C-alpha cells in the first residue's frame, strides 16, 4: 500500500503546476456563476476534475517513463492502481470543495433573488429528496465511470490516442444505452434506478455507501485490467 501511496504522491507533484492552477481558476469562475444560477450548478466543475490526471499519460509516453519504472522495484499493477487512485482522489477533493460551496451558496442566497423560478425548482427538488449530497454522489459515480473506461483505453492504445479514447468512451456509453433500449426495452436502467430508489428509501447513509463504494470499486476493476494490459505489453 505504501508503494501505491508514493506513486500517487508523485502523480500529484507532477500535475501540480501543469493542471491544478488552470483547473482551480476554471472551478472558481464556474462556482461563482453557480452562486447566481443554482447550488446544483456549483457542483458541475467536478465533472472535469478527473481529467487533470490525463496529461500524466502523455508525460509518461513522451519521456519513456516505462523504462524508469521498469528499473525500479515497482509493480505494474500498483502503477495502474495509483494512477486511478490519483484520479479518484482529485475528484473527491473537488467534490468536497464543491459541496461546501454549494451549501454556502444556499446560505448566501443570491440565486433566490436573481432567479426566483430556479429557486422554486430547487425547493421542489429538495422536497422530493434530490439533495445536494445526492446529486454530488451521482456526479462522482458518473466521473468514476467515465474515467474508468477512458483510462483503461489510454493504457490499451497509448497516450497518443487520447482524442480517440475520448470518442471511444462516449461511443461505449452511448452504445450501452442504445443496446439497452433496443434489446431490453430500457429495463436495465429501470432495474438500476429501482435498486437505488429502494436503497435510498431504506437509508440515505446506505445509499451513499453503495454508490460511492461501487464507484471506487469500478475504478479498482479498471485499474486491475489496466495493470494486466501493461504486464502483457511489456512481456
Amino acid at each position: 500500500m505504501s508503494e501505491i501511496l508514493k506513486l500517487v504522491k508523485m502523480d500529484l507533484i507532477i500535475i501540480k503546476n501543469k493542471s491544478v492552477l488552470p483547473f482551480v481558476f476554471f472551478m472558481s469562475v464556474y462556482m461563482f456563476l453557480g452562486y447566481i444560477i443554482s447550488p446544483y450548478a456549483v457542483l458541475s466543475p467536478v465533472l472535469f476534475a478527473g481529467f487533470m490526471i490525463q496529461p500524466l499519460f502523455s508525460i509518461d509516453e513522451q519521456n519513456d517513463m516505462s523504462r524508469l519504472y521498469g528499473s525500479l522495484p515497482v509493480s505494474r499493477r500498483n502503477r495502474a492502481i495509483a494512477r486511478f487512485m490519483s484520479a479518484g482522489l482529485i475528484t473527491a477533493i473537488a467534490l468536497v470543495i464543491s459541496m461546501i460551496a454549494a451549501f454556502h451558496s444556499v446560505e448566501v442566497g443570491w440565486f433566490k433573488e436573481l432567479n426566483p423560478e430556479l429557486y422554486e425548482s430547487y425547493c421542489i427538488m429538495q422536497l422530493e429528496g434530490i439533495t445536494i449530497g445526492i446529486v454530488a454522489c451521482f456526479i462522482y459515480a458518473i466521473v468514476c465511470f467515465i474515467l474508468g473506461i477512458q483510462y483503461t483505453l489510454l493504457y490499451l492504445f497509448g497516450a497518443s490516442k487520447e482524442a480517440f479514447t475520448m470518442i471511444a468512451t462516449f461511443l461505449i456509453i452511448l452504445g450501452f444505452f442504445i443496446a439497452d433500449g433496443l434489446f431490453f426495452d430500457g429495463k436495465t436502467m429501470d432495474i438500476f434506478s429501482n435498486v437505488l430508489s429502494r436503497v435510498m428509501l431504506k437509508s440515505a447513509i446506505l445509499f451513499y455507501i453503495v454508490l460511492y463504494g461501487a464507484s471506487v470499486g469500478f475504478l479498482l476493476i479498471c485499474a486491475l485490467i489496466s495493470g494486466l494490459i501493461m504486464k502483457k505489453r511489456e512481456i
Side-chain angles (χ1 to χ4, degrees), residues 134-206:
I134 295 294
V135 174
C137 190
F138 272 111
I139 288 176
Y140 188 79
I142 291 169
V143 172
C144 288
F145 183 69
I146 293 173
L147 293 182
I149 296 173
Q150 186 179 1
Y151 285 12
T152 303
L153 293 175
L154 280 169
Y155 276 113
L156 182 62
F157 296 104
S160 59
K161 304 292 185 182
E162 183 177 325
F164 167 77
T165 60
M166 292 180 69
I167 296 171
T169 301
F170 171 76
L171 291 176
I172 288 172
I173 296 173
L174 180 63
F176 169 78
F177 285 106
I178 292 175
D180 181 41
L182 290 177
F183 301 107
F184 303 103
D185 295 325
K187 291 181 180 179
T188 303
M189 292 306 301
D190 287 341
I191 293 172
F192 177 74
S193 300
N194 289 334
V195 170
L196 287 181
S197 298
R198 290 176 182 176
V199 172
M200 192 185 302
L201 289 173
K202 286 184 178 180
S203 170
I205 295 176
L206 180 61

Side-chain angles (χ1 to χ4, degrees), residues 74-88:
V74 178
S75 164
R76 297 182 184 90
R77 183 193 66 175
N78 287 348
R79 281 162 52 192
I81 291 175
R83 183 60 51 83
F84 281 86
M85 186 179 290
S86 297

Side-chain angles (χ1 to χ4, degrees), residues 112-136:
K112 298 177 184 178
E113 297 178 1
L114 296 173
N115 294 291
E117 293 181 358
L118 289 176
Y119 174 59
E120 185 178 348
S121 298
Y122 166 77
C123 293
I124 293 172
M125 292 177 72
Q126 290 291 304
L127 292 173
E128 292 178 349
I130 308 175
T131 63
I132 291 173
I134 295 294
V135 174

Side-chain angles (χ1 to χ4, degrees), residues 1-8 73-76 78-79 82:
M1 187 64 183
S2 60
E3 180 181 289
I4 295 175
L5 294 177
K6 288 178 181 178
L7 290 168
V8 170
V74 178
S75 164
R76 297 182 184 90
N78 287 348
R79 281 162 52 192

Side-chain angles (χ1 to χ4, degrees), residues 20-38:
V20 173
L21 291 179
F23 178 75
V24 169
F25 175 75
F26 163 76
M27 193 172 183
S28 301
V29 172
Y30 208 94
M31 278 185 173
F32 176 76
L33 294 175
Y35 270 64
I36 300 173
I37 300 171
S38 169

